[in-house]
Amino acid sequence: MQLRKPRGGALLRIWQALGPGLVTGAADDDPSGIATYSQAGAQFGYALGWTVFLTLPFMAAIQIISACIGWRTGSGLAHNIGRELPRAVLYVLMLLLVVANTVNIAADLAAMGEALRLAVSGPALLYAVLFGLGCLVAEVFIPYHRYAGYLKLMTSVLLVYVAAAFSLHIAWGTVLRALVVPAISLDHELLLVIVAIFGTTISPYLFFWQASEEVEELHATPGAKPLIAAPNQARSNFRRIKVDTVVGMGFSSLISFFIVMATAATLFAAGKHDISSAADAAQALQPVLGPSAKVIFAVGLLGASLMAAAI
């Protein structure tokens, strides 16, 4: 698969060159991630902003490896694991992945229902069921390439968190000091949140997703072949994967950072330190910033949940 040369202006060419890496990065800011970043900001203020950037090189490296496996072999991670390890190991790994994905999908659908309830009121359970049916129908009947394009467009929804942060009064001097001189201690709660940030940022389902999407891109691109069949395409494709993935993981870290900043500037400053879900963060923001903040948070949560559930 050769590096595509999109037409149009510079920004359009950049946008068209992005794909699996961007969607993977955006999907990493799923409801559990938003809740974790909100808790970090609400509980510790600006002190943990550095953690979302510390995870960036780990995220990028793992996702580049996953994408390269799919592109090199023309097969997803499960197939490659099955070729290298005993079947029993493969079945155990797949069972764990199915359990994790099932829990994640349930959480995503619940978050979608809750997000819509926050925005327009009504029965969250009914909304969750309708969203689940809608996602299922879309995945079955919408062709892959078109669906992947929709997911890429949906990444822009997460920019509402950036807009929300810039609409607040943030002590950027304090933020910069916290980034340059990280707050590190053996405090149990602090270490727990740091571990939670690493856990929610580096998610196994994203490894499988990006490898599989590289395979889908191979099938959808005329004349494209896996690296083992077309080694002459190595340089251009590795450059494409690296740029796409680094941009996607950078986008993910940036959104995470602004979620921490927004909740630090509002919930931490207002003494609201206990957040158990992204919906809780949206609810807690309302008395601090008014109904618009709740709606903004809900819109971002809805977009993030739709992407994560689909993936």
Side-chain angles (χ1 to χ4, degrees):
M1 180 168 53
Q2 295 180 340
L3 181 66
R4 291 185 290 272
K5 298 181 179 179
R7 300 176 182 176
L11 289 177
L12 180 60
R13 290 197 299 271
I14 293 172
W15 173 254
Q16 290 177 337
L18 300 175
L22 176 64
V23 175
T24 301
D28 198 29
D29 292 318
D30 59 9
S32 63
I34 294 172
T36 302
Y37 306 133
S38 298
Q39 178 62 38
Q43 190 171 357
F44 296 102
Y46 303 124
L48 291 182
W50 59 272
T51 57
V52 299
F53 295 114
L54 178 62
T55 60
L56 177 57
F58 300 102
M59 294 165 62
I62 293 172
Q63 293 302 145
I64 287 173
I65 292 170
S66 300
C68 286
I69 290 173
W71 155 61
R72 181 185 183 280
T73 64
S75 302
L77 286 187
H79 180 80
N80 281 287
I81 291 171
R83 290 196 309 185
E84 300 296 331
L85 298 176
R87 285 283 174 176
V89 176
L90 173 64
Y91 293 151
V92 170
L93 291 176
M94 291 302 96
L95 178 61
L96 293 174
L97 183 67
V98 168
V99 171
N101 282 356
T102 301
V103 172
N104 274 327
I105 289 171
D108 294 336
L109 294 177
M112 281 188 266
E114 191 63 27
L116 192 57
R117 185 190 67 79
L118 289 172
V120 301
S121 73
L125 180 59
L126 176 60
Y127 294 152
V129 172
L130 293 176
F131 276 124
L133 291 174
C135 287
L136 181 61
V137 170
E139 294 231 6
V140 171
F141 292 104
I142 297 178
Y144 158 76
H145 230 66
R146 188 183 303 170
Y147 198 89
Y150 293 154
L151 291 175
K152 190 164 77 165
L153 281 174
M154 284 175 58
T155 61
S156 60
V157 175
L158 295 177
L159 292 174
V160 298
Y161 293 120
V162 180
F166 277 109
S167 69
L168 303 169
H169 175 69
I170 293 177
W172 291 109
T174 304
V175 172
L176 183 59
R177 283 195 299 272
L179 291 176
V180 175
V181 185
I184 302 176
S185 75
L186 297 180
D187 176 74
H188 174 74
E189 294 297 328
L190 181 72
L191 293 177
L192 193 63
V193 173
I194 291 175
V195 170
I197 288 173
F198 268 84
T200 195
T201 301
I202 303 174
S203 302
Y205 75 90
L206 297 176
F207 311 162
F208 286 82
W209 153 261
Q210 192 162 353
S212 296
E213 189 163 350
E214 286 295 334
V215 177
E216 294 282 2
E217 291 284 342
L218 276 172
H219 294 163
T221 304
K225 296 179 181 178
L227 175 62
I228 55 176
N232 61 303
Q233 299 176 5
R235 178 174 295 181
S236 62
N237 276 285
F238 182 69
R239 183 170 64 248
R240 171 187 60 80
I241 288 172
K242 184 168 65 174
V243 170
D244 181 28
T245 304
V246 170
V247 170
M249 298 308 113
F251 178 78
S252 174
S253 296
L254 194 67
I255 298 301
S256 306
F257 174 75
F258 280 109
I259 292 173
V260 175
M261 294 302 102
T263 51
T266 52
L267 302 182
F268 179 80
K272 298 179 181 292
H273 303 314
D274 190 17
I275 300 298
S276 60
S277 70
D280 280 351
Q283 290 278 29
L285 283 170
Q286 184 172 3
V288 180
L289 296 177
S292 61
K294 182 178 74 171
V295 173
I296 288 173
F297 229 74
V299 168
L301 177 59
L302 180 58
S305 303
L306 281 168
M307 274 190 299
I311 289 172

